[in-house]
Amino acid sequence: MPTILFFIAVICSMISQTPELIAMKADAYLKITWIFPLLYLVVVRFRSVISLKLAFYYFFVIIFGLYCCIMQLSTNIDYLTGEIGSDIVNIGISFMVTVVSFAYWENYGSPRKLRWLVVCLTVCGAYLAYAVYSQFLVKADISAIQYAFTEKNSMGQILVNVMVFGIACYIPKYTPSRVMYIIAFVFMLTVVFMMKSRATLVGVFFVIGYYILMYKNTKVRVLLFALSAAALVYLWVSPSAYETIVGNILLGGRDTTDLDDLSSGRIYLMSQQIAKIPDNLIFGSGVDYMDCFPVMVLVQYGLIGTFIMFLFLTEVAAKVSVKFKPRKGINLAAYLLFWIMMINSLFEAYPPFGPGVKCFILWMAFGFALAAYRRRQPAKQRPVSPSMADRRLRFRE
């Protein structure tokens, strides 16, 4: 039952991003399916739901939520909702996903279920990519400045998250499965490029750079380096390819001599938001919107709210970067997903928490990795029983 409920929540979260369902505003009903595994785990595995490993996350949500409530009540300025959305809602969704994923993986996780989860995400990701391609991109002009699909950044990040989680957690051993797997990922990556989701593509290049510079498998590093070098040479010798990929996609067909145009107007909008900071430095000026998460945290919540927010994110960064070892499987997925979302936050308003379920794969991977994490102790202080050995082997990935 818990596995069925968890997989239903994951699949519904993915399918909720289908363009037709978003147009019908049916996506909200699919997202709430996370409540069902949460309720089950609260009843059956309550100790896991309130685990001390999650204490820092509970503390952050409570403190930040109280801060926003106190500020709204005392100033009569909106710190909680907003016309477009708010961080507190996205934080609540991400928190729920983390708690559910942690409790589920601590009690029911296994390598076999991880493989099936990757398969489900890959199938759903390929379906979303096809839906966007067939409805918006197939007849689009790649050289046009206007975007064929307006939700390109959210969709692009979801597809990249699927690919990163899949590559880190499960590579099929059998050739036919591996070929289908590669085809699905190449198609998803092609759609991301066609959508011209430039903020997302920066994260893609980060992942490629990580595998080239830091991945332990030398063959993979050499292969990726060779492919990257070949791609750069091809762009150098082919003006048409350079114009299409660099000029029209990476630069968005914009004027490279005008930083504001190149940044899709972000420079001008950022200057307007930064101008609000001096008058609202301590407590912020309430919910607002601009596509740069770090700047907007300071604008909306002031120094106090920014300290609370980034203290939490620093703790998450320390866990995924230092404590979750060895860096492979779900640990690698959590590390890569966190940092590409932090990169994405420089160009978007809500990552690494939202909007909606855009970031759910990150917090799912983080919950898994947190459940698998055990503090290292000297060997003589670690009594090893058969059940503990089996449990370690269970969470090896």
Side-chain angles (χ1 to χ4, degrees):
M1 178 62 74
T3 298
I4 293 174
L5 293 175
F6 186 84
F7 273 62
I8 287 174
V10 169
I11 293 171
C12 286
S13 295
M14 290 293 295
I15 300 302
S16 70
Q17 301 306 297
T18 304
E20 295 92 342
L21 293 177
I22 292 178
M24 296 167 56
K25 297 184 178 181
D27 54 315
Y29 299 103
L30 293 173
K31 295 172 188 176
I32 63 174
T33 51
W34 283 99
I35 292 178
F36 301 117
L38 176 63
L39 293 176
Y40 180 91
L41 291 166
V42 166
V43 173
V44 178
R45 301 291 179 181
F46 184 68
R47 287 187 178 181
S48 292
V49 172
I50 60 170
S51 170
L52 287 177
K53 288 185 179 182
L54 293 166
F56 77 102
Y57 210 148
Y58 276 104
F59 182 76
F60 162 65
V61 171
I62 292 171
I63 295 299
F64 189 73
L66 284 175
Y67 173 73
C68 292
C69 289
I70 291 171
M71 291 308 302
Q72 178 150 332
L73 291 173
S74 60
T75 64
N76 202 29
I77 297 174
D78 184 12
Y79 280 78
L80 295 171
T81 56
E83 295 181 3
I84 300 176
S86 68
D87 292 309
I88 196 68
V89 172
N90 294 323
I91 289 170
I93 294 172
S94 299
F95 174 60
M96 178 172 62
V97 172
T98 301
V99 171
V100 170
S101 301
F102 173 88
Y104 170 76
W105 195 254
E106 185 175 59
N107 294 282
Y108 307 105
S110 69
R112 180 172 176 270
K113 290 173 183 175
L114 185 63
R115 291 194 295 269
W116 276 110
L117 180 59
V118 171
V119 171
C120 286
L121 286 172
T122 303
V123 171
C124 291
Y127 166 73
L128 289 177
Y130 174 76
V132 172
Y133 174 79
S134 61
Q135 296 179 43
F136 298 94
L137 303 178
V138 66
K139 296 180 180 179
D141 181 5
I142 198 71
S143 64
I145 294 179
Q146 291 79 14
Y147 299 111
F149 184 57
T150 55
E151 301 298 325
K152 59 184 179 63
N153 290 328
S154 291
M155 180 61 72
Q157 193 62 58
I158 290 170
L159 296 180
V160 169
N161 289 353
V162 169
M163 290 184 280
V164 170
F165 187 83
I167 292 171
C169 294
Y170 173 55
I171 301 293
K173 295 181 179 179
Y174 300 105
T175 302
S177 300
R178 183 173 294 187
V179 170
M180 293 179 64
Y181 197 76
I182 293 172
I183 291 173
F185 281 9
V186 169
F187 177 61
M188 282 188 271
L189 186 59
T190 301
V191 169
V192 172
F193 270 88
M194 292 183 68
M195 286 190 296
K196 299 194 288 186
S197 179
R198 296 183 294 159
T200 303
L201 290 173
V202 177
V204 172
F205 296 136
F206 168 79
V207 173
I208 294 172
Y210 173 86
Y211 272 93
I212 291 175
L213 298 175
M214 302 183 68
Y215 196 58
K216 292 184 178 180
N217 189 316
T218 305
K219 292 182 179 179
V220 172
R221 292 172 63 186
V222 171
L223 177 61
L224 279 176
F225 179 79
L227 290 174
S228 299
L232 291 175
V233 170
Y234 176 66
L235 292 177
W236 179 264
V237 301
S238 174
S240 61
Y242 180 89
E243 179 63 24
T244 299
I245 296 175
V246 178
N248 294 328
I249 294 177
L250 300 183
L251 299 178
R254 298 182 181 275
D255 183 2
T256 57
T257 63
D258 185 345
L259 288 179
D260 191 57
D261 184 56
L262 188 62
S263 64
S264 301
R266 285 182 176 87
I267 301 297
Y268 171 73
L269 294 173
M270 191 177 298
S271 66
Q272 287 189 314
Q273 293 292 347
I274 291 176
K276 301 177 182 178
I277 295 175
D279 295 332
N280 306 277
L281 182 60
I282 306 300
F283 301 111
S285 56
V287 174
D288 206 336
Y289 181 88
M290 203 280 293
D291 284 329
C292 182
F293 176 78
V295 170
M296 290 313 298
V297 169
L298 183 57
V299 171
Q300 295 175 103
Y301 309 112
L303 289 176
I304 295 177
T306 300
F307 175 77
I308 297 170
M309 179 75 74
F310 281 94
L311 183 65
F312 169 75
L313 291 176
T314 300
E315 175 65 18
V316 176
K319 289 184 182 300
V320 301
S321 302
V322 179
K323 295 183 179 180
F324 292 168
K325 297 290 178 68
R327 192 175 291 166
K328 60 181 181 179
I330 55 177
N331 290 342
L332 177 58
Y335 172 84
L336 292 175
L337 288 169
F338 176 76
W339 286 114
I340 64 175
M341 292 309 304
M342 290 306 296
I343 291 171
N344 191 258
S345 74
L346 300 175
F347 310 99
E348 298 296 325
Y350 297 122
F353 298 107
V357 297
K358 170 183 174 180
C359 304
F360 90 90
I361 298 177
L362 160 63
W363 297 109
M364 179 183 72
F366 180 73
F368 287 175
L370 193 63
Y373 168 67
R374 294 185 178 279
R375 293 178 180 174
R376 295 179 180 179
Q377 299 175 351
K380 62 181 181 181
Q381 296 181 9
R382 274 199 318 246
V384 179
S385 64
S387 59
M388 184 177 290
D390 291 342
R391 192 174 181 82
R392 284 184 186 160
L393 186 62
R394 182 181 185 184
F395 295 123
R396 183 67 62 183
E397 295 191 30

